[in-house]
Amino acid sequence: MAVAHLTIDLAALTANWQALNSMSQTETAAVVKADAYGLGIDKVAPALAQAGARRFFVAAAEEGAELRQVLGSGPEINVFSGHMKGDTALIRDANLVPMLNSIDQMLRQVEALPGHAFGLQLDTGMNRLGMEDAEWRALRDIALAQKPTLVMSHLACADEPAHYMNAQQLQTFVDMTDGIDADRSLAATGGTLLGPDYHFDLTRPGVGIYGGMPFIDAKPVVRLDVPVIQSREVQTGETVGYSNTWTAERPTRVATIAAGYADGILRAMGDQACLWAGDTRCKVLGRISMDMIGVDITSVEGEPASLELLGPHQGVDMLADWAGTIGYEILTSLGHRYDRSYLTA
Ligand SMILES: *Cc1c(COP(=O)(O)O)cnc(C)c1O
């Protein structure tokens, strides 16, 4: 088989959700947008529901409709993008709760689906989604009279605990929502770690559930093993891969492994990247190709059947560092052609 094998540890994933849940006195939701950060919403969401999650968040109504099929009736499914043109039937039929972002969305909602549950999203400084202060003040009493299920906002810099923006957004959120009769939510993973001031009635972690930073104590959830297709001896002075970017300075044994940038193994990781054969570290040699990568296996005894790219030795944030990105992007780029298996407790 020339496809890599991705193992997703659902027991570690639910343990991460439980650990985040135990950090607050309030309810903990689960963010499962983008196919549960690339790990498979059809497996991840039921495991989280089983662990006790009752509210889920997705980015788009289409994702919400798919999640409803997976979860059945019962859990609440909230949609960050709110109520877009064309969403009405999905919201009604899949019983989704749109997080309305503007007066326009509010009008669309009450005209198309009077009496249907909704939440509200406020902008507290990130300038991405949600009503700004003036808009909110104009709408606040009318909106609250319709009994929103949730009033939420999102932190821009919660992965940096000391950032001034956190306290500033917290204060703005309190100013905008003090005394209202609705559940409130401000914290994603980073905000959950900032402590009780940020927890309100509901926390909404995503990346920490999947084992990513800023949740330092997260259990690793993904393991990726890439099969070796062929290995060869490369002599001093010979090169490996496209554009001859790596030249052997000594005789080197090179394995060609079966995955590449088409599988989300970012080419930008360049020559910092390495893989593991057991406890032996093996450097990537030369350019990452679309479906193949050259790896130095000189120190490995025999030809390994596969090499570990993600697992106990290095997680998504290590790969992200090499590529100059974040663990979120590594997770959501995980390849569609990987053979996948799920570990349960
Ligand atoms: C993605 C997202 C989350 C989850 O964020 P993490 O950093 O992955 O925990 C929560 N709230 C909103 C609005 C989001 O877009």
Side-chain angles (χ1 to χ4, degrees), residues 31 33 37 80 121 128 152 154 188-189 204-207 328:
V31 178
K33 61 195 181 190
Y37 289 47
F80 286 136
Q121 212 165 157
R128 191 175 69 167
M152 60 164 280
H154 193 49
T189 301
R204 319 179 301 269
V207 74
Y328 299 71

Side-chain angles (χ1 to χ4, degrees), residues 33 80 101 121 123 125-130 132 154-155:
K33 61 195 181 190
F80 286 136
N101 291 302
Q121 212 165 157
D123 181 61
M126 187 176 185
N127 285 311
R128 191 175 69 167
L129 282 184
E132 305 223 346
H154 193 49
L155 297 167

Side-chain angles (χ1 to χ4, degrees), residues 110-170:
V110 296
E111 273 170 25
L113 298 171
H116 187 104
F118 68 89
L120 294 167
Q121 212 165 157
L122 306 179
D123 181 61
T124 52
M126 187 176 185
N127 285 311
R128 191 175 69 167
L129 282 184
M131 297 181 211
E132 305 223 346
D133 196 43
E135 201 178 8
W136 171 235
R137 261 183 283 163
L139 196 70
R140 185 179 150 128
D141 292 344
I142 306 166
L144 290 175
Q146 312 261 345
K147 299 268 174 240
T149 58
L150 188 69
V151 176
M152 60 164 280
S153 186
H154 193 49
L155 297 167
C157 303
D159 58 337
E160 293 175 60
H163 203 292
Y164 75 91
M165 188 75 172
N166 297 320
Q168 188 172 305
Q169 285 191 270
L170 174 61

